[in-house]
Amino acid sequence: MNPSLPLSGLRVLDLSRVLAGPLAAQVLGDLGADVVKVEHPARGDDTRDWGVRTGAHNSAYFNSMNRNKRSITLDLQQPEGQRLARELALKSDVVIQNFKFGGTAKMGLDYDTLAASHPGLVYCSITGYDPTGPEAARPGYDLVVQGETGLMGLNGEEGQAPLKFGVAMVDLFTGMSAGQAILAALWARERNGGRGRHVQLALHDCGIMLSVYYGMEALIEQLDPPKYGNAHPSIVPYGVFDASDGPLVVTVGNNAQFQRFCRDVIERPELADDPRYATNAARAIHRHDLLPILKAELARRPRAELLNALARAGIPCGEVLGVLQALTSPRTQAAGGVQQATLADGTPVPVQAPPYRFEGQRLPIRHAPPTLGQHTTEVLAGLGVDAAALDRLRASGVI
């Protein structure tokens, strides 16, 4: 236990799998909580088998959502596995689960059952849809929800077919939102005599929230907003442009910046004086006339030259990097954004570091992503399960 970490001493039981739930638990683990992840003895979390493998039972996908956790294995379809999970839940401050609707009740791991014996429990359920509505039992998948919430309709270039985000944005947003809600419930517990809460998150709700200002515009205009791709719907020029040797981001945020952009960066002062482009409102109206001119000017110049000129002019800008370039860039390395760890089986792996800093210090990676069942013995020993009982549980497939 590190007493300097914000959630040091908090105990979390992670019964979730795949992405949204594991991310919520990882957030708490990053902040110092002791997170125990429960996995199936044979297959573990589904994501152990997704994508690039790292070691015998880990994958890049799994590792990205399960740092700062301990892993135990329990077969929750067996009564003995359910009993041990209940014992762990009753010793925890937080339980996180994303089972199919009604699944936890069959195992005696639902909120009502646990809270009857542990009223201070903060219990987080993540579902696909409104748990009180007609689709409560319908499973939730990020890609499906991206389609149903209009997000795929927003993404991409004008005239392009619906396009998903590059990462599972709905799952990620739901996981981060769940982490926030759990922290709020823990704070409320401190003020209301120690009583816990049942926190509920639905992927569809979070997907709707992700439409933000585009969603507000659609409701006001009663129309689907147009697609702008890498451009901005109301600021011009603002987006990704090609220099002669690679792409860059240019964000001309106000009229004074546009004046400097035209005079000092692309050396076309007449554009700054043209009434069609003098204000941002005018530039937005005439974007289809202006942007081809600006793209041609930028394409004639090397990226480094443009970045230097833009910086001197006080215009926000930056390179467009590939994922590997970004992760291995001097900026990321200097900030400690990627660190090296070693799995319990000896496999060296890169691990993305928690983004949180307190008093200027990035929070540590206390536990590398766990191998399957790495901590089963030590965690169950905390329940009083001795070596003979562990052997019996292994022989019966409970762990």
Side-chain angles (χ1 to χ4, degrees):
M1 183 185 299
N2 184 338
S4 68
L5 297 176
L7 297 184
S8 179
L10 190 80
R11 290 182 291 189
V12 178
L13 184 64
D14 180 9
L15 298 176
S16 67
R17 58 201 184 278
V18 184
L19 189 54
L23 176 57
Q26 180 174 265
V27 166
L28 302 179
D30 287 344
L31 293 168
D34 176 19
V35 179
V36 173
K37 181 179 180 69
V38 175
E39 303 184 68
H40 187 275
R43 58 181 178 270
D45 189 304
D46 297 354
T47 61
R48 286 187 181 275
D49 193 38
W50 292 5
V52 177
R53 300 304 296 268
T54 57
H57 295 288
N58 287 50
S59 70
Y61 200 120
F62 175 87
N63 290 355
S64 71
M65 293 293 116
N66 291 286
R67 64 176 177 258
N68 286 330
K69 298 181 185 180
R70 298 189 290 164
S71 168
I72 71 167
T73 55
L74 288 177
D75 184 350
L76 296 180
Q77 299 307 309
Q78 295 196 45
E80 187 72 356
Q82 296 167 7
R83 182 186 68 78
L84 290 168
R86 283 193 294 273
E87 286 192 35
L88 288 169
L90 295 178
K91 290 180 176 291
S92 299
D93 297 285
V94 177
V95 170
I96 301 172
Q97 65 87 15
N98 60 354
F99 282 93
K100 292 180 180 178
F101 185 79
T104 53
K106 296 176 183 177
M107 298 181 286
L109 291 169
D110 56 298
Y111 174 70
D112 289 339
T113 298
L114 295 175
S117 301
H118 184 5
L121 181 67
V122 172
Y123 186 100
C124 178
S125 299
I126 296 176
T127 59
Y129 302 89
D130 177 1
T132 65
E135 295 182 298
R138 187 180 172 204
Y141 290 89
D142 178 274
L143 182 61
V144 175
V145 176
Q146 283 196 38
E148 292 175 333
T149 55
L151 297 175
M152 290 172 65
L154 286 175
N155 203 25
E157 301 287 343
E158 183 179 2
Q160 187 176 17
L163 180 68
K164 76 177 185 69
F165 285 74
V167 294
M169 282 300 300
V170 175
D171 275 340
L172 293 171
F173 191 71
T174 303
M176 295 302 291
S177 297
Q180 293 174 358
I182 290 167
L183 292 174
L186 289 168
W187 174 244
R189 186 176 74 171
E190 294 299 309
R191 297 184 299 162
N192 65 9
R195 188 156 197 86
R197 297 282 184 91
H198 188 188
V199 175
Q200 295 173 285
L201 276 292
L203 297 182
H204 188 269
D205 292 343
C206 293
I208 289 294
M209 285 291 295
L210 270 170
S211 67
V212 288
Y213 43 84
Y214 283 113
M216 291 299 97
E217 290 179 4
L219 290 170
I220 292 167
E221 299 289 336
Q222 289 294 290
L223 291 170
D224 285 338
K227 292 185 178 186
Y228 290 96
N230 288 321
H232 194 283
S234 53
I235 304 174
V236 178
Y238 190 109
V240 177
F241 298 88
D242 287 318
S244 62
D245 57 350
L248 73 160
V249 173
V250 178
T251 61
V252 178
N254 57 50
N255 297 329
Q257 287 182 1
F258 184 71
Q259 295 276 327
R260 298 195 298 273
F261 176 77
C262 294
R263 292 191 167 90
D264 302 331
V265 178
I266 63 172
E267 299 173 321
R268 293 288 300 272
E270 76 279 7
L271 295 175
D273 297 329
D274 190 319
R276 293 176 299 169
Y277 314 135
T279 67
N280 183 70
R283 290 192 296 277
I285 293 170
H286 298 287
R287 70 169 67 219
H288 293 296
D289 298 321
L290 175 62
L291 287 175
I293 299 171
L294 302 185
K295 289 178 180 179
E297 290 292 341
L298 294 170
R300 293 194 302 109
R301 296 166 167 82
R303 184 163 66 176
E305 176 186 311
L306 284 170
L307 291 170
N308 287 332
L310 288 162
R312 287 194 302 269
I315 298 170
C317 60
E319 301 170 281
V320 177
L321 302 178
V323 174
L324 180 60
Q325 284 180 295
L327 291 170
T328 58
S329 70
R331 179 183 295 114
T332 300
Q333 295 300 310
V338 176
Q339 300 176 20
Q340 294 298 312
T342 302
L343 302 183
D345 61 11
T347 304
V349 293
V351 180
Q352 292 160 324
Y356 315 101
R357 287 184 173 88
F358 286 79
E359 285 79 43
Q361 297 297 312
R362 189 187 287 273
L363 297 186
I365 298 171
R366 297 173 293 116
H367 300 292
T371 54
L372 180 60
Q374 177 182 340
H375 305 95
T376 301
T377 298
E378 69 181 53
V379 171
L380 294 187
L383 296 180
V385 180
D386 60 21
L390 286 170
D391 289 341
R392 178 179 58 79
L393 291 169
R394 288 193 183 93
S396 61
V398 174
I399 62 173

